[in-house]
Amino acid sequence: MKHLRWVLPILLAAVVTACAVPEAPAREGGMPTEAISFTDACGREVVLPKKPERVVSCSGSFAEVWVLSGGALAGTTEDAVSERGMALEEGTAIVGTIKKPNVEEILAVEPDFVILSADIEGHIEAGQALDDANITHAYFHIEEFTEYLDMLKLFTDLTGRADLYEENGLKVRARIDEIKASCADQPSPTVLFARAYSTGVRAKGADNMTGIMLEELGADNIVSRHESLLEELGIEAIIEEDPDFILITTMGDEKKALEALENGIMANPAWSGLAAVKEERVEVLPKELFHYKPNARWADAYAYLAQLLYPGTAE
């Protein structure tokens, strides 16, 4: 595809606007010995004993964080393998898909803790069934590095692996801080950041992890001045801004998404006149860093963007 640098791809779920879930049931006899209490992403108070033994994650990304924290999985959803390439231990149950976790399969594992996403409708439904079964569970929301760091801290507190919080969290934060510092005082490049689907393409702002990273690195996302691009990628606004960079992520089948992009807005003759196109600053961002949550590789994602926006930095 002309002017598009292809990057080998290595799931972004439907978002619900609120967590309509009941209060977590109280445990008989009060808080267990050596327990950790926290408020989850849906505002529920959750109490867990340290070192839960049979943990199920209904998200491959969250499953990876649990393993990075020194935990073992009794079960997880199929995206842990198909999307994240995790090598699961023998006997780890596959309990449905990230969008539709299978409650019967979860219950068959006899978990003592189930990890759910606050942003996926199927997880909210599964959580209600887990309430009925009196299975401890918690909802999480991860869209930026600090939220990943909070999850990692909680999980390593549960597993007793403070060393892994240092290795997979604090060291990553230190590197991110260095990358941000290397980009400070640089002229702010203008950026069109868009997500392509098989059915079309839309600009994205700072409501997702890549948009957040771009903002933190000092990029000027043109969608902040043209909110109509959030609904439809109109060539007129793009021509008006003539952004320095056009950055693209894909959702679903990458080949079909890029074909739709090529047959859509890129087919407009005005596209080839954009500075970013002429100077080959159109980039398809790798899925493993900018579509799936990068987890312990979050600093790699920052470094990737920094090198694009400010060549010579973050080396």
CSV table of all heavy atoms in Angstrom, one decimal, residues 150-194:
chain,number,residue,atom,x,y,z
A,150,ASP,N,-1.5,0.5,38.8
A,150,ASP,CA,-2.4,0.2,39.9
A,150,ASP,C,-2.8,-1.3,40.0
A,150,ASP,O,-2.8,-1.9,41.1
A,150,ASP,CB,-3.6,1.1,39.9
A,150,ASP,CG,-3.3,2.6,40.2
A,150,ASP,OD1,-2.2,2.8,40.7
A,150,ASP,OD2,-4.1,3.4,39.8
A,151,MET,N,-3.2,-1.8,38.8
A,151,MET,CA,-3.6,-3.2,38.8
A,151,MET,C,-2.4,-4.1,39.2
A,151,MET,O,-2.5,-5.1,40.0
A,151,MET,CB,-4.1,-3.6,37.4
A,151,MET,CG,-4.3,-5.1,37.2
A,151,MET,SD,-4.8,-5.6,35.5
A,151,MET,CE,-6.6,-5.5,35.7
A,152,LEU,N,-1.2,-3.8,38.6
A,152,LEU,CA,0.0,-4.6,39.0
A,152,LEU,C,0.3,-4.6,40.5
A,152,LEU,O,0.6,-5.6,41.1
A,152,LEU,CB,1.1,-4.1,38.1
A,152,LEU,CG,2.4,-4.9,38.3
A,152,LEU,CD1,2.3,-6.3,37.5
A,152,LEU,CD2,3.6,-4.2,37.7
A,153,LYS,N,0.1,-3.4,41.1
A,153,LYS,CA,0.4,-3.3,42.5
A,153,LYS,C,-0.6,-4.1,43.3
A,153,LYS,O,-0.2,-4.8,44.2
A,153,LYS,CB,0.2,-1.8,42.9
A,153,LYS,CG,0.5,-1.5,44.4
A,153,LYS,CD,2.0,-1.9,44.8
A,153,LYS,CE,2.4,-1.4,46.2
A,153,LYS,NZ,1.7,-2.0,47.2
A,154,LEU,N,-1.9,-4.0,43.0
A,154,LEU,CA,-2.9,-4.9,43.6
A,154,LEU,C,-2.5,-6.3,43.5
A,154,LEU,O,-2.5,-7.1,44.5
A,154,LEU,CB,-4.3,-4.6,43.1
A,154,LEU,CG,-5.4,-5.5,43.6
A,154,LEU,CD1,-5.6,-5.4,45.1
A,154,LEU,CD2,-6.7,-5.3,42.8
A,155,PHE,N,-2.3,-6.8,42.3
A,155,PHE,CA,-2.0,-8.2,42.0
A,155,PHE,C,-0.7,-8.7,42.7
A,155,PHE,O,-0.7,-9.8,43.3
A,155,PHE,CB,-1.9,-8.5,40.5
A,155,PHE,CG,-3.3,-8.4,39.8
A,155,PHE,CD1,-4.4,-8.2,40.5
A,155,PHE,CD2,-3.3,-8.7,38.4
A,155,PHE,CE1,-5.7,-8.1,39.8
A,155,PHE,CE2,-4.6,-8.7,37.8
A,155,PHE,CZ,-5.7,-8.4,38.5
A,156,THR,N,0.3,-7.9,42.7
A,156,THR,CA,1.5,-8.3,43.4
A,156,THR,C,1.4,-8.2,44.9
A,156,THR,O,2.0,-9.0,45.6
A,156,THR,CB,2.8,-7.4,43.0
A,156,THR,OG1,2.4,-6.0,43.1
A,156,THR,CG2,3.1,-7.7,41.5
A,157,ASP,N,0.5,-7.4,45.4
A,157,ASP,CA,0.2,-7.5,46.8
A,157,ASP,C,-0.5,-8.8,47.2
A,157,ASP,O,-0.3,-9.4,48.2
A,157,ASP,CB,-0.7,-6.3,47.2
A,157,ASP,CG,0.0,-5.0,47.4
A,157,ASP,OD1,1.3,-5.0,47.4
A,157,ASP,OD2,-0.7,-3.9,47.4
A,158,LEU,N,-1.4,-9.2,46.2
A,158,LEU,CA,-2.1,-10.5,46.4
A,158,LEU,C,-1.2,-11.7,46.4
A,158,LEU,O,-1.3,-12.6,47.1
A,158,LEU,CB,-3.2,-10.6,45.4
A,158,LEU,CG,-4.5,-9.7,45.6
A,158,LEU,CD1,-5.3,-9.8,44.3
A,158,LEU,CD2,-5.3,-10.1,46.8
A,159,THR,N,-0.2,-11.6,45.5
A,159,THR,CA,0.7,-12.8,45.3
A,159,THR,C,1.9,-12.7,46.2
A,159,THR,O,2.7,-13.6,46.3
A,159,THR,CB,1.2,-12.8,43.8
A,159,THR,OG1,1.9,-11.6,43.5
A,159,THR,CG2,0.0,-13.0,42.9
A,160,GLY,N,2.1,-11.5,46.8
A,160,GLY,CA,3.3,-11.3,47.7
A,160,GLY,C,4.6,-11.2,46.9
A,160,GLY,O,5.7,-11.4,47.5
A,161,ARG,N,4.5,-10.7,45.6
A,161,ARG,CA,5.7,-10.6,44.8
A,161,ARG,C,6.0,-9.1,44.5
A,161,ARG,O,5.9,-8.6,43.4
A,161,ARG,CB,5.5,-11.3,43.5
A,161,ARG,CG,5.4,-12.8,43.6
A,161,ARG,CD,6.7,-13.5,44.1
A,161,ARG,NE,7.8,-13.2,43.3
A,161,ARG,CZ,8.1,-13.9,42.2
A,161,ARG,NH1,7.4,-14.9,41.8
A,161,ARG,NH2,9.2,-13.5,41.5
A,162,ALA,N,6.5,-8.4,45.6
A,162,ALA,CA,6.9,-7.0,45.4
A,162,ALA,C,8.0,-6.9,44.4
A,162,ALA,O,8.1,-5.8,43.7
A,162,ALA,CB,7.3,-6.5,46.8
A,163,ASP,N,8.8,-7.9,44.2
A,163,ASP,CA,9.9,-7.8,43.3
A,163,ASP,C,9.4,-7.7,41.8
A,163,ASP,O,10.0,-7.0,41.0
A,163,ASP,CB,10.8,-9.0,43.4
A,163,ASP,CG,10.0,-10.4,43.1
A,163,ASP,OD1,8.9,-10.5,43.7
A,163,ASP,OD2,10.6,-11.2,42.4
A,164,LEU,N,8.2,-8.3,41.6
A,164,LEU,CA,7.7,-8.2,40.2
A,164,LEU,C,7.0,-6.9,40.0
A,164,LEU,O,6.9,-6.4,38.8
A,164,LEU,CB,6.7,-9.4,40.0
A,164,LEU,CG,7.4,-10.8,39.9
A,164,LEU,CD1,6.3,-11.8,39.8
A,164,LEU,CD2,8.4,-10.8,38.8
A,165,TYR,N,6.5,-6.2,41.0
A,165,TYR,CA,6.0,-4.9,40.9
A,165,TYR,C,7.2,-3.9,40.5
A,165,TYR,O,7.0,-3.1,39.7
A,165,TYR,CB,5.4,-4.4,42.2
A,165,TYR,CG,4.8,-3.0,42.1
A,165,TYR,CD1,3.8,-2.6,41.3
A,165,TYR,CD2,5.4,-2.0,43.0
A,165,TYR,CE1,3.3,-1.3,41.2
A,165,TYR,CE2,4.9,-0.7,42.9
A,165,TYR,CZ,3.9,-0.4,42.0
A,165,TYR,OH,3.4,0.9,41.9
A,166,GLU,N,8.3,-4.2,41.1
A,166,GLU,CA,9.5,-3.4,40.8
A,166,GLU,C,9.9,-3.6,39.3
A,166,GLU,O,10.1,-2.7,38.6
A,166,GLU,CB,10.6,-3.7,41.7
A,166,GLU,CG,12.0,-3.2,41.4
A,166,GLU,CD,12.1,-1.7,41.7
A,166,GLU,OE1,11.4,-1.2,42.6
A,166,GLU,OE2,12.9,-1.0,41.1
A,167,GLU,N,10.0,-4.9,39.0
A,167,GLU,CA,10.5,-5.3,37.6
A,167,GLU,C,9.5,-4.9,36.5
A,167,GLU,O,9.9,-4.3,35.5
A,167,GLU,CB,10.8,-6.8,37.6
A,167,GLU,CG,11.3,-7.3,36.3
A,167,GLU,CD,12.7,-6.8,36.0
A,167,GLU,OE1,13.5,-6.5,37.0
A,167,GLU,OE2,13.1,-6.6,34.8
A,168,ASN,N,8.3,-5.2,36.7
A,168,ASN,CA,7.3,-5.0,35.6
A,168,ASN,C,6.5,-3.7,35.7
A,168,ASN,O,5.6,-3.5,34.9
A,168,ASN,CB,6.3,-6.2,35.5
A,168,ASN,CG,7.1,-7.5,35.2
A,168,ASN,OD1,7.9,-7.5,34.4
A,168,ASN,ND2,6.7,-8.6,35.9
A,169,GLY,N,6.7,-2.9,36.8
A,169,GLY,CA,6.0,-1.7,37.0
A,169,GLY,C,6.9,-0.5,37.2
A,169,GLY,O,6.9,0.4,36.3
A,170,LEU,N,7.6,-0.5,38.3
A,170,LEU,CA,8.4,0.7,38.6
A,170,LEU,C,9.5,1.0,37.6
A,170,LEU,O,9.8,2.1,37.3
A,170,LEU,CB,8.9,0.6,40.0
A,170,LEU,CG,7.9,0.5,41.1
A,170,LEU,CD1,8.5,0.5,42.5
A,170,LEU,CD2,6.9,1.7,41.0
A,171,LYS,N,10.2,-0.1,37.2
A,171,LYS,CA,11.2,0.1,36.2
A,171,LYS,C,10.6,0.6,34.8
A,171,LYS,O,11.3,1.4,34.1
A,171,LYS,CB,12.0,-1.2,36.0
A,171,LYS,CG,12.9,-1.5,37.1
A,171,LYS,CD,13.7,-2.8,36.8
A,171,LYS,CE,14.7,-3.1,38.0
A,171,LYS,NZ,15.5,-4.3,37.7
A,172,VAL,N,9.5,0.1,34.5
A,172,VAL,CA,8.8,0.6,33.3
A,172,VAL,C,8.4,2.0,33.4
A,172,VAL,O,8.6,2.8,32.5
A,172,VAL,CB,7.5,-0.3,33.0
A,172,VAL,CG1,6.8,0.2,31.8
A,172,VAL,CG2,7.9,-1.7,32.8
A,173,ARG,N,7.9,2.4,34.6
A,173,ARG,CA,7.6,3.8,34.8
A,173,ARG,C,8.8,4.7,34.7
A,173,ARG,O,8.8,5.8,34.1
A,173,ARG,CB,6.9,4.0,36.2
A,173,ARG,CG,6.5,5.5,36.5
A,173,ARG,CD,5.7,5.6,37.8
A,173,ARG,NE,6.6,5.3,38.9
A,173,ARG,CZ,6.2,5.3,40.2
A,173,ARG,NH1,4.9,5.5,40.5
A,173,ARG,NH2,7.1,5.1,41.2
A,174,ALA,N,9.9,4.3,35.3
A,174,ALA,CA,11.1,5.1,35.2
A,174,ALA,C,11.6,5.3,33.7
A,174,ALA,O,12.0,6.4,33.4
A,174,ALA,CB,12.3,4.4,36.0
A,175,ARG,N,11.5,4.3,32.9
A,175,ARG,CA,11.8,4.4,31.5
A,175,ARG,C,10.9,5.4,30.8
A,175,ARG,O,11.3,6.2,30.0
A,175,ARG,CB,11.9,3.1,30.8
A,175,ARG,CG,12.3,3.1,29.4
A,175,ARG,CD,12.5,1.8,28.8
A,175,ARG,NE,12.7,1.9,27.3
A,175,ARG,CZ,12.2,1.1,26.4
A,175,ARG,NH1,11.4,0.1,26.8
A,175,ARG,NH2,12.5,1.3,25.1
A,176,ILE,N,9.6,5.3,31.1
A,176,ILE,CA,8.6,6.2,30.5
A,176,ILE,C,8.9,7.6,30.9
A,176,ILE,O,8.8,8.5,30.0
A,176,ILE,CB,7.2,5.8,30.9
A,176,ILE,CG1,6.7,4.5,30.3
A,176,ILE,CG2,6.2,6.9,30.5
A,176,ILE,CD1,5.4,3.9,30.8
A,177,ASP,N,9.3,7.8,32.1
A,177,ASP,CA,9.6,9.2,32.5
A,177,ASP,C,10.8,9.7,31.8
A,177,ASP,O,10.9,10.9,31.4
A,177,ASP,CB,9.9,9.2,34.0
A,177,ASP,CG,8.6,9.0,34.9
A,177,ASP,OD1,7.5,9.2,34.3
A,177,ASP,OD2,8.8,8.7,36.1
A,178,GLU,N,11.8,8.9,31.5
A,178,GLU,CA,12.9,9.3,30.7
A,178,GLU,C,12.6,9.6,29.3
A,178,GLU,O,13.1,10.6,28.7
A,178,GLU,CB,14.0,8.1,30.7
A,178,GLU,CG,14.7,7.9,32.0
A,178,GLU,CD,15.6,6.7,32.0
A,178,GLU,OE1,15.7,6.0,30.9
A,178,GLU,OE2,16.3,6.4,33.0
A,179,ILE,N,11.7,8.8,28.7
A,179,ILE,CA,11.2,9.1,27.3
A,179,ILE,C,10.5,10.4,27.3
A,179,ILE,O,10.7,11.2,26.4
A,179,ILE,CB,10.3,7.9,26.9
A,179,ILE,CG1,11.1,6.6,26.7
A,179,ILE,CG2,9.6,8.3,25.5
A,179,ILE,CD1,10.3,5.4,26.6
A,180,LYS,N,9.6,10.7,28.2
A,180,LYS,CA,8.9,11.9,28.2
A,180,LYS,C,9.8,13.1,28.4
A,180,LYS,O,9.7,14.1,27.7
A,180,LYS,CB,7.9,11.9,29.4
A,180,LYS,CG,6.7,11.0,29.2
A,180,LYS,CD,5.7,11.2,30.4
A,180,LYS,CE,4.6,10.2,30.3
A,180,LYS,NZ,3.7,10.3,31.5
A,181,ALA,N,10.8,13.0,29.2
A,181,ALA,CA,11.8,14.0,29.4
A,181,ALA,C,12.6,14.3,28.1
A,181,ALA,O,12.9,15.4,27.8
A,181,ALA,CB,12.8,13.7,30.6
A,182,SER,N,12.9,13.2,27.4
A,182,SER,CA,13.6,13.4,26.1
A,182,SER,C,12.8,14.2,25.1
A,182,SER,O,13.4,14.7,24.1
A,182,SER,CB,14.1,12.1,25.6
A,182,SER,OG,13.0,11.3,25.0
A,183,CYS,N,11.5,14.2,25.2
A,183,CYS,CA,10.6,14.8,24.3
A,183,CYS,C,10.2,16.2,24.7
A,183,CYS,O,9.6,17.0,23.9
A,183,CYS,CB,9.4,14.0,24.0
A,183,CYS,SG,9.7,12.4,23.4
A,184,ALA,N,10.6,16.6,25.9
A,184,ALA,CA,10.1,17.9,26.5
A,184,ALA,C,10.8,19.0,25.7
A,184,ALA,O,12.0,18.8,25.2
A,184,ALA,CB,10.5,18.0,28.0
A,185,ASP,N,10.2,20.1,25.6
A,185,ASP,CA,10.7,21.3,24.9
A,185,ASP,C,10.8,21.1,23.4
A,185,ASP,O,11.4,22.0,22.7
A,185,ASP,CB,12.0,21.7,25.5
A,185,ASP,CG,11.9,22.0,27.0
A,185,ASP,OD1,10.8,22.6,27.4
A,185,ASP,OD2,12.8,21.7,27.8
A,186,GLN,N,10.4,20.0,22.8
A,186,GLN,CA,10.4,19.8,21.4
A,186,GLN,C,9.2,20.5,20.8
A,186,GLN,O,8.1,20.6,21.4
A,186,GLN,CB,10.3,18.4,21.1
A,186,GLN,CG,11.5,17.5,21.6
A,186,GLN,CD,12.7,17.5,20.6
A,186,GLN,OE1,12.6,18.1,19.5
A,186,GLN,NE2,13.7,16.8,21.0
A,187,PRO,N,9.3,21.1,19.6
A,187,PRO,CA,8.1,21.6,18.9
A,187,PRO,C,7.0,20.5,18.8
A,187,PRO,O,7.3,19.4,18.4
A,187,PRO,CB,8.6,22.0,17.5
A,187,PRO,CG,10.1,22.1,17.7
A,187,PRO,CD,10.5,21.1,18.7
A,188,SER,N,5.8,20.9,19.0
A,188,SER,CA,4.7,19.9,19.0
A,188,SER,C,4.3,19.6,17.6
A,188,SER,O,3.8,20.5,16.9
A,188,SER,CB,3.5,20.5,19.8
A,188,SER,OG,3.8,20.6,21.1
A,189,PRO,N,4.5,18.4,17.1
A,189,PRO,CA,4.0,18.0,15.8
A,189,PRO,C,2.5,17.8,15.8
A,189,PRO,O,1.9,17.4,16.8
A,189,PRO,CB,4.7,16.7,15.5
A,189,PRO,CG,4.9,16.1,16.9
A,189,PRO,CD,5.1,17.3,17.8
A,190,THR,N,1.8,18.1,14.7
A,190,THR,CA,0.4,17.9,14.5
A,190,THR,C,0.2,16.5,14.0
A,190,THR,O,1.0,16.0,13.2
A,190,THR,CB,-0.3,18.9,13.6
A,190,THR,OG1,0.5,18.9,12.3
A,190,THR,CG2,-0.2,20.3,14.1
A,191,VAL,N,-0.9,15.9,14.6
A,191,VAL,CA,-1.1,14.4,14.3
A,191,VAL,C,-2.6,14.2,14.0
A,191,VAL,O,-3.4,14.7,14.7
A,191,VAL,CB,-0.7,13.6,15.5
A,191,VAL,CG1,-1.0,12.1,15.3
A,191,VAL,CG2,0.8,13.7,15.8
A,192,LEU,N,-2.8,13.4,13.0
A,192,LEU,CA,-4.2,12.8,12.8
A,192,LEU,C,-4.0,11.4,13.3
A,192,LEU,O,-3.2,10.6,12.7
A,192,LEU,CB,-4.6,12.8,11.4
A,192,LEU,CG,-5.8,12.0,11.0
A,192,LEU,CD1,-7.1,12.4,11.8
A,192,LEU,CD2,-6.1,11.9,9.5
A,193,PHE,N,-4.7,11.0,14.4
A,193,PHE,CA,-4.7,9.6,14.9
A,193,PHE,C,-6.1,9.0,14.5
A,193,PHE,O,-7.1,9.5,14.9
A,193,PHE,CB,-4.4,9.6,16.4
A,193,PHE,CG,-4.6,8.3,17.0
A,193,PHE,CD1,-4.1,7.1,16.4
A,193,PHE,CD2,-5.4,8.1,18.1
A,193,PHE,CE1,-4.3,5.9,17.0
A,193,PHE,CE2,-5.6,6.9,18.7
A,193,PHE,CZ,-5.1,5.8,18.2
A,194,ALA,N,-6.1,7.9,13.8
A,194,ALA,CA,-7.3,7.3,13.4
A,194,ALA,C,-7.3,5.8,13.6
A,194,ALA,O,-6.3,5.1,13.6
A,194,ALA,CB,-7.5,7.6,11.9
